[in-house]
Amino acid sequence: MYDVLNDGGYLLLSVYDGNGKNNKKSFGNIDGEDYYRNFIEHSKMELLNEARNLFDYTLEINPDANSKWKNYIFKKC
């Protein structure tokens, strides 16, 4: 995603708050068909550490404080 952003471009990222792989959310069934996805949870600190040299700033937008889904806006350097 970083490579396709223009300098000064914005990235909206929605992540499930946590640390590491969530096995329960990695497996599912839709209309009787089993599927697998590698569902990884990310903490705010993990994201900020990874983004610190790539983005000018990060804005957290979470209108529902009780939700495990977290939303961040990053601005590319």
Side-chain angles (χ1 to χ4, degrees):
M1 288 184 271
Y2 180 83
D3 291 341
V4 299
L5 280 176
N6 292 327
D7 290 343
Y10 293 91
L11 170 67
L12 171 63
L13 189 62
S14 294
V15 297
Y16 200 81
D17 191 42
N19 291 303
K21 185 174 180 177
N22 182 322
N23 285 320
K24 184 178 179 181
K25 290 194 176 294
S26 290
F27 295 92
N29 184 292
I30 296 176
D31 295 331
E33 187 170 333
D34 291 331
Y35 69 94
Y36 170 80
R37 61 184 177 164
N38 195 20
F39 194 95
I40 305 295
E41 299 176 357
H42 298 283
S43 69
K44 180 179 180 179
M45 226 18 149
E46 177 187 11
L47 291 172
L48 294 177
N49 284 337
E50 291 296 321
R52 69 177 174 264
N53 295 322
L54 302 173
F55 295 91
D56 285 333
Y57 74 88
T58 306
L59 176 63
E60 184 175 347
I61 303 170
N62 294 308
D64 181 357
N66 296 319
S67 176
K68 290 282 286 177
W69 284 99
K70 304 299 178 189
N71 306 294
Y72 303 95
I73 295 177
F74 295 92
K75 182 178 180 187
K76 185 176 176 179
C77 297

